[in-house]
Amino acid sequence: MSAYIAPSQIAQRQLAYFEGKHVLVAGEAEDLFPVELANHCQSVTVFTTNYGYHRQLESYSQVSSVFGAEFSQQTQADMVLLYWPKAKAEAEFLLAMLMAKLGPETEIVVVGENRSGIKSIEKMFKAYGPITKYDSARRCSFYWGQCTQAPDSFNLDDWYKTYQVSYKESTLTIKSLPGVFSHGEFDIGSKLLLDTLPELKGKVLDFGCGAGVIGSVMALLNPTIELEMCDISALAVASSQATLAANGLTGRVFASDVYSDTSKDYDYIISNPPFHAGLDTSYSATETLLAKAPQYQNSQGQLFIVANSFLKYQPIIEQAFSNCETLNKTNKFAIYHAKK
């Protein structure tokens, strides 16, 4: 088996808790521990909002993987294994959804790194029942609890945060689910990117669309474009779809693990690329995005990205396109542009 992340290692020490259970795994899981866990319990279902993780698990018949913004499947689950997510609001969201779905008597195990704020579960779970810390190791904690109260019903629409973004002469309504980038404000980097873009035409991809701010502004300012928006997160996909609908705009929004599900004939690939994976910083998805961009564009394709100035993206773009210019720069951000 490949090495497990620390929260999985602490769960692995406590396999007795899972014996005989139908386990529903949720949250920031990112390794193959659920596959091993299937040997120790009745069944394992993984509910993930991460499309890359879902694709990884699909080749393992021992577990069933469900990808989406909401878990609405029929299930026998009587225990939740929650990997504590990096956004506290996302933990509240997942608890409300899963406890409403599974109801009283459901057991829960929560694992996570101490620095991620897992201690918040003590207060957060009070509405559902008792929870207690039973183990700590590798700077992680292991909690076990049980839902004893009848949870409130869950409605996904209640969890969107709605806010207004003004750009040039227009005001847009943005809808954002917990844990989605751009949750509640107009990101400065996104604004700088939009300020730098030319008039767009043809097929445009907003890569890593988050709550849909960039894509919506592009569609508003360039009504003739064929807009596509993608993100690895189901919560982002749902948020962008809701944002487009709230503004009467059209675009195709879908989940993609970098270019796994994209088209190959874009006129423009435009991105404020993500560089966080879990609590640690990761640049690999963005580096792949940049290095392979020309393969997913037509012969006149162009790339526009905004990045933190300290990131060394220029050489990667240069190598992929044989050119890269800096169109705009502040002390924090840079806008890079390349042509095929």
Side-chain angles (χ1 to χ4, degrees):
M1 273 325 250
S2 61
Y4 293 149
I5 57 172
S8 292
Q9 291 173 27
I10 198 173
Q12 192 182 29
R13 285 164 46 126
Q14 302 290 348
L15 287 171
Y17 280 89
F18 303 100
E19 297 286 343
K21 295 289 173 190
H22 293 279
V23 181
L24 176 60
V25 179
E28 206 90 22
E30 53 187 71
D31 61 21
L32 295 176
F33 176 66
V35 179
E36 181 191 336
L37 187 60
N39 299 325
H40 300 275
C41 56
Q42 290 290 320
S43 70
V44 174
T45 302
V46 177
F47 168 64
T48 180
T49 59
N50 182 304
Y51 189 57
Y53 187 51
H54 171 64
R55 290 177 75 226
Q56 188 186 351
L57 289 177
E58 276 186 312
S59 54
Y60 293 90
S61 56
Q62 303 95 311
V63 299
S64 81
S65 178
V66 176
F67 169 76
E70 182 174 7
F71 183 76
S72 50
Q73 280 67 10
Q74 287 302 111
T75 180
Q76 295 176 281
D78 51 15
M79 175 182 259
V80 171
L81 168 56
L82 178 67
Y83 283 76
W84 189 255
K86 61 179 180 284
K88 187 175 163 187
E90 195 176 334
E92 289 175 326
F93 169 77
L94 288 169
L95 279 178
M97 178 197 301
L98 299 176
M99 293 302 119
K101 176 78 178 165
L102 304 182
E105 308 306 313
T106 304
E107 294 180 45
I108 186 167
V109 166
V110 185
V111 291
E113 293 185 45
N114 297 332
R115 66 182 175 139
S116 69
I118 186 176
K119 197 174 190 308
S120 306
I121 190 64
E122 295 172 15
K123 201 168 168 188
M124 200 183 285
F125 200 73
K126 276 200 169 118
Y128 305 102
I131 195 161
T132 309
K133 181 156 128 179
Y134 283 98
D135 194 7
S136 54
R138 300 183 183 277
R139 300 188 182 136
C140 288
S141 296
F142 176 103
Y143 285 84
W144 178 90
Q146 188 162 27
C147 179
T148 54
Q149 314 290 324
D152 293 338
S153 61
F154 178 85
N155 182 349
L156 187 69
D157 290 342
D158 297 339
W159 288 83
Y160 283 97
K161 183 169 181 176
T162 303
Y163 61 100
Q164 306 293 317
V165 157
S166 293
Y167 185 73
K168 296 195 170 165
E169 310 294 293
S170 307
T171 300
L172 286 164
T173 300
I174 308 301
K175 309 275 279 187
S176 178
L177 286 169
V180 175
F181 176 72
S182 189
H183 197 42
E185 61 195 345
F186 198 168
D187 173 69
I188 302 161
S190 297
K191 187 173 182 306
L192 188 70
L193 176 62
L194 289 164
D195 286 345
T196 312
L197 291 178
E199 195 175 318
L200 303 172
K201 55 186 187 302
K203 194 166 184 175
V204 180
L205 177 67
D206 172 9
F207 179 92
C209 56
V213 178
I214 292 173
S216 296
V217 171
M218 293 191 305
L220 194 70
L221 299 180
N222 309 274
T224 64
I225 60 171
E226 187 185 340
L227 176 66
E228 295 198 354
M229 302 162 71
C230 70
D231 203 287
I232 200 166
S233 159
L235 301 174
V237 170
S239 298
S240 281
Q241 286 167 334
T243 294
L244 287 176
N247 296 288
L249 298 166
T250 52
R252 174 175 169 250
V253 191
F254 57 96
S256 191
D257 181 4
V258 194
Y259 290 113
S260 68
D261 288 57
T262 64
S263 305
K264 292 194 165 175
D265 58 348
Y266 296 107
D267 294 281
Y268 295 91
I269 293 175
I270 292 168
S271 183
N272 181 350
F275 61 93
H276 284 286
L279 289 166
D280 299 306
T281 304
S282 168
Y283 306 106
S284 63
T286 302
E287 290 175 2
T288 305
L289 161 75
L290 303 176
K292 295 192 171 172
Q295 298 168 38
Y296 294 88
Q297 296 188 313
N298 64 27
S299 58
Q300 307 295 307
Q302 296 185 51
L303 172 80
F304 288 89
I305 71 153
V306 56
N308 284 60
S309 309
F310 65 84
L311 296 174
K312 303 287 181 270
Y313 287 160
Q314 266 176 302
I316 303 170
I317 300 170
E318 284 269 2
Q319 193 168 3
F321 285 89
S322 305
N323 65 87
C324 175
E325 55 178 335
T326 306
L327 295 181
N328 212 332
K329 205 168 178 157
T330 65
N331 53 7
K332 194 170 177 202
F333 295 106
I335 308 293
Y336 301 119
H337 171 236
K339 289 179 182 167
K340 230 172 126 167

